[in-house]
Every structure is written in structure tokens, then in C-alpha cells.
């Protein structure tokens, strides 16, 4: 799993959570998101029951800009997650954004 800023592009005006690429995926997928203002931001993966699988980014103060995170299909302990549907959840103020992802082993 890795998280990084995507260049020095113009600051976005909205809070988009883009579809992950590829989807469905195996063994990893890239999640792109944009923050219009600096502040706390949390990007996490949950299973269909709503249980936390893995936190990809959890910053108390992240600068505004475009970012991406790579999820390798593993949980927080490093164990491979099972085939199935997962949800990527971005919380950076209001609203909270969610995208569906499909992992195929």
C-alpha cells in the first residue's frame, strides 16, 4: 500500500473520490482523490458488513491537492483479503464519499 501526492496540479474545487483502477482488480488497485482544502483526511477500506479492513491514509492535517493510494488487497495485518466486494471510504469533512471495489483472487 502506498499513498502519494499527484504533482503540483491546480487545487481542486470539490472533493471527488474517483473510481479505483482497475476494477475488478488483482492483486492491487489505485484510488485517486482530491482535497479542495487542507485539513484532516482519512481513506479506508471496509468489507460489505462495514468492518474496517485497512486504513490507507489517516492524516490530521493533509494539504489540499490531488492524491492517490494503492491498495494491495491486504488487511491491516498484511493478510490477503478474500475475493469479494469492498468499499473505499473517504472522509475529509462533509460529505463522506464511498466507492465500491471488487477484488478477484
Amino acid at each position: 500500500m502506498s499513498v502519494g501526492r499527484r504533482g503540483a496540479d491546480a487545487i481542486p474545487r470539490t472533493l471527488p473520490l474517483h473510481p479505483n483502477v482497475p476494477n475488478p482488480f488483482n492483486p492491487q488497485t489505485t484510488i485517486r482523490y482530491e482535497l479542495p482544502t487542507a485539513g484532516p483526511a482519512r481513506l479506508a477500506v471496509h468489507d460489505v458488513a462495514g468492518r474496517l479492513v485497512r486504513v490507507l491514509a489517516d492524516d490530521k492535517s493533509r494539504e489540499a491537492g490531488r492524491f492517490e493510494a494503492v491498495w494491495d488487497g491486504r488487511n491491516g495485518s498484511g493478510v490477503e483479503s478474500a475475493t469479494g466486494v469492498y468499499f473505499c471510504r473517504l472522509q475529509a469533512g462533509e460529505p463522506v464519499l464511498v466507492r465500491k471495489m471488487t477484488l478477484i483472487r
Side-chain angles (χ1 to χ4, degrees), residues 22-82:
N23 191 25
F25 69 96
N26 179 12
Q28 68 182 28
T29 190
T30 301
I31 303 156
R32 291 182 177 89
Y33 61 101
E34 301 173 20
L35 302 176
T37 59
R42 179 178 169 98
L43 183 68
V45 176
H46 296 265
D47 65 15
V48 293
R51 294 178 296 239
L52 178 65
V53 174
R54 185 158 185 191
V55 175
L56 302 179
D58 192 7
D59 299 303
K60 291 186 181 9
S61 181
R62 178 163 295 241
E63 69 273 12
R66 292 175 167 82
F67 300 89
E68 64 180 37
V70 176
W71 182 42
D72 60 4
R74 296 179 183 272
N75 67 20
S77 299
V79 177
E80 287 186 347
S81 298

